Amino acid sequence: MGTSASFRAPNTPRWQAFVIALQSGQPLERLQSELFNAGTDWERELGGPAVAAYAVALLDVHARLADRLRAAERPEQALQATIAEARAASEALPGSAAGALAERAFLSLLTRVTSGSQALADAAPAQAAEQFASARGTPSELIAGYVGELLGQYARHVTAREAGRLTEGEAGIGVAATRRLTRSLAGAAEQVGREARPAADAAALRQSWQPLITEAFSRGRRLPEHGR
């Protein structure tokens, strides 16, 4: 499957339907539906144990990261150590073609929750710890945020790899419009993921992770009633 943005969509009917929807300027809800319709391979990969390991790691992150941030010389150091531990846990399990997206989503989530409205580089350790403690929510909410980041990363990847097709020729929509489209679709996919209700127990989360991702893809495929 790969994660390089230079790879275009596979030549299958569902992926080609997604590409055509992008090229023809379909409404966002139709693009979202085609995105999740096409991604059956991604559904399986994102639901694998190596990706679930990052979600399970968030249970420990929820409990310990604030203290780690306070004790660190810089907030970035605490995040780097946390990410390294999660990566090691993931790499101990059977690999996934979605591994790079899973790690990117984990980093994006922790950076966002820890930094808030300011750049993490500008935050003191105590500030970052307070921000994380106030923004993390419950363990289940933090993991649901990860599911959102994960599906957002998926949407960005599969849309961005079509950038050449979307911008080429007189009928192309242009680079700026392609970037806006990518952001919009990623935001819609992220919202789908945030509606997940994950378990807050490690064993239960591991067992339910694939069904949780499958359910999220099912939600993403649905069109609003007015679009049927």
Side-chain angles (χ1 to χ4, degrees), residues 42-164:
W42 283 100
E43 179 182 329
R44 182 180 62 251
E45 296 293 334
L46 291 169
V51 180
Y54 284 97
V56 172
L58 287 169
L59 295 171
D60 183 68
V61 167
H62 187 276
R64 297 180 55 218
L65 182 56
D67 290 339
R68 294 184 77 164
L69 286 163
R70 290 187 190 96
E73 184 176 339
R74 293 294 311 149
E76 300 94 312
Q77 294 174 343
L79 291 194
Q80 288 167 359
T82 299
I83 292 161
E85 290 170 3
R87 184 190 306 121
S90 177
E91 290 176 347
L93 297 167
S96 168
L101 295 189
E103 182 174 337
R104 202 176 304 146
F106 190 81
L107 171 60
S108 179
L109 174 70
L110 295 191
T111 301
R112 175 173 57 78
V113 176
T114 303
S115 62
S117 60
Q118 67 176 337
L120 191 61
D122 296 333
Q127 287 178 300
E130 289 176 12
Q131 168 62 30
F132 175 77
S134 65
R136 65 188 170 181
T138 67
S140 182
E141 287 168 344
L142 185 63
I143 297 166
Y146 176 66
V147 180
E149 291 285 352
L150 192 61
L151 296 189
Q153 291 291 340
Y154 157 63
R156 284 186 186 90
H157 169 68
V158 299
T159 306
R161 71 184 179 183
E162 303 306 322

Side-chain angles (χ1 to χ4, degrees), residues 56 59 139-140 143 198-208:
V56 172
L59 295 171
S140 182
I143 297 166
D201 168 81
L205 183 57
R206 289 189 190 96
Q207 186 174 9
S208 63

